Amino acid sequence: SVNSATAADGEKNVEPPVFSAVDECLLTALKQAAPEQTVAELRNSCQQETPTLVKHRVNLEKQASKNPFAIVPHKPNFVLPASVTNINQEPYVGTPIDSELDDVEIKFQVSLKYLAAQDLVFNDLDLEIAFTATSWWQAYNSAISAPFRETNYEPELIFNYHHSWSLLGLPIEQTSLSFNHQSNGQTGKLSRSWNRIILGLTFAPADNVLWGLRTWYRLPEDEKIDPLDPAGDDNPDIEKYLGFGELGGLWSISDKHSLEFMFRNNLRTDDNRGAIQLGWSFPVNDRIQGYVEYFNGYGESLIYYNQHSQRLGIGFKLTNWL
């Protein structure tokens, strides 16, 4: 009938509902709320102000952390099954794997954090404990039993301040101060590690654009008497290659579709060295994003802190920055 046809046409033309950031925050909060929380409390939490990208993530993290079993993502969690580079064999000479490494391997990262305390000392200051492990796995190299070539371990203790403020007219959405240890868990000539105090600032010049600046001070270590001595500094010249900070950027083009970059430089006129990393995230389904990553420079991993490398990888992101 005409009415049936009209109804059918109407059904075809119905557009899916569009949710605002506040709506999304509230939906997530309802799923993760404690039994004693009211809807009004959840809505007030999500409506404290029109949430920026940073505050939207902070709200979701705080709601999720009310679940005693919750550990939330820190940095992106991803796996790149096809990761191609020109492996520098030099650091591995004299080791069991020697010069048998393949140029194609799997790179993946697991990064989690726990909100240990909220509103510490004053409002919007949180204490977080984070851990990140980034691995380079020779999964396709059956000739040497597919070893993990390197894993970088990075535990952090972070003080995160989420109150907005202005620096020279720039809107700062988040300020962090962290104690950061990074090492590759190796011994002897393959051992690499350093400890840093890192100050981080996150700027939001536009609704869908973020800039992040991190600068660090390396905590000094004693000089190593012998290269095989477990005590002492494994990499005393690491700042000559990784410098004293890095600049990052994120452009959130649409939901689960973003571009990102990282730039690092030692700011030396002589022996100038640095690195750049580019990333593109795109939707695959409701839970997983495709991810393409390109790196060029020094310090992609600790074993190559003083070796130039270039890598292109494609795979999947399980969680993104935002």
Side-chain angles (χ1 to χ4, degrees):
S1 66
V2 175
N3 290 338
S4 298
T6 303
D9 290 341
E11 289 177 2
K12 291 179 182 177
N13 293 329
V14 171
E15 295 183 358
V18 177
F19 295 105
S20 67
V22 174
D23 293 332
E24 291 179 356
C25 174
L26 184 58
L27 287 172
T28 303
L30 285 169
K31 295 177 183 178
Q32 301 171 337
E36 66 273 12
Q37 287 184 287
T38 66
V39 174
E41 289 175 337
L42 299 176
R43 182 173 289 280
N44 287 337
S45 176
C46 292
Q47 286 183 325
Q48 289 178 354
E49 56 184 287
T50 301
T52 60
L53 290 173
V54 173
K55 285 187 169 54
H56 180 49
R57 170 165 178 166
V58 170
N59 287 335
L60 293 178
E61 287 181 354
K62 288 193 174 184
Q63 294 301 330
S65 296
K66 295 181 187 300
N67 184 332
F69 299 101
I71 298 178
V72 298
H74 179 39
K75 298 177 182 179
N77 290 270
F78 64 82
V79 57
L80 304 176
S83 182
V84 183
T85 186
N86 185 13
I87 288 283
N88 188 327
Q89 311 275 354
E90 181 181 345
Y92 298 95
V93 173
T95 69
I97 57 179
D98 204 3
S99 59
E100 301 294 328
L101 296 170
D102 286 345
D103 289 341
V104 180
E105 56 188 0
I106 295 177
K107 177 182 177 181
F108 66 91
Q109 179 168 284
V110 177
S111 185
L112 305 170
K113 69 180 175 183
Y114 180 75
L115 182 56
Q118 293 186 45
D119 300 325
L120 188 70
V121 182
F122 49 83
N123 288 341
D124 297 325
L125 178 66
D126 299 336
L127 174 63
E128 301 170 341
I129 302 170
F131 177 78
T132 301
T134 309
S135 293
W136 292 261
W137 179 20
Q138 290 272 302
Y140 313 117
N141 194 342
S142 58
I144 54 174
S145 193
F148 280 79
R149 178 176 60 80
E150 183 178 16
T151 297
N152 288 178
Y153 306 95
E154 192 173 2
E156 296 178 85
L157 183 68
I158 308 168
F159 293 92
N160 248 332
Y161 183 54
H162 305 295
H163 192 79
S164 301
W165 59 287
S166 179
L167 176 64
L168 302 176
L170 294 172
I172 298 179
E173 292 293 314
Q174 186 169 270
T175 311
S176 65
L177 185 68
S178 65
F179 172 75
N180 177 290
H181 169 78
Q182 189 180 32
S183 65
N184 66 350
Q186 298 285 346
T187 60
K189 293 182 178 180
L190 293 179
S191 178
R192 307 282 188 274
S193 68
W194 60 335
N195 298 312
R196 293 173 291 172
I197 297 174
I198 303 177
L199 173 65
L201 301 174
T202 302
F203 304 86
D207 289 342
N208 62 339
V209 176
L210 293 178
W211 293 91
L213 176 65
R214 298 203 313 161
T215 182
W216 51 71
Y217 167 73
R218 185 191 181 188
L219 299 175
E221 299 181 58
D222 293 334
E223 185 177 352
K224 201 179 264 291
I225 299 174
D226 182 88
L228 298 179
D229 189 345
D233 193 347
D234 294 318
N235 29 252
D237 59 344
I238 193 170
E239 289 163 306
K240 293 181 180 179
Y241 297 89
L242 272 63
F244 299 91
E246 63 188 25
L247 177 68
L250 175 68
W251 177 24
S252 182
I253 302 171
S254 63
D255 185 36
K256 296 184 179 179
H257 199 125
S258 62
L259 297 173
E260 63 191 66
F261 90 99
M262 180 280 298
F263 174 75
R264 190 168 57 224
N265 192 273
N266 63 5
L267 301 179
R268 293 170 177 257
T269 53
D270 298 329
D271 296 327
N272 184 266
R273 295 184 174 94
I276 185 169
Q277 181 171 295
L278 305 174
W280 170 36
S281 303
F282 53 92
V284 172
N285 59 36
D286 291 340
R287 298 184 63 85
I288 297 177
Q289 297 168 267
Y291 180 49
V292 178
E293 181 183 271
Y294 172 73
F295 179 90
N296 191 325
Y298 291 83
E300 188 201 13
S301 66
L302 284 178
I303 200 70
Y304 289 144
Y305 82 90
N306 59 353
Q307 305 280 344
H308 184 275
S309 62
Q310 189 172 192
R311 178 183 300 273
L312 178 65
I314 184 168
F316 305 96
K317 260 186 182 175
L318 306 181
T319 61
N320 208 337
W321 290 104
L322 298 171

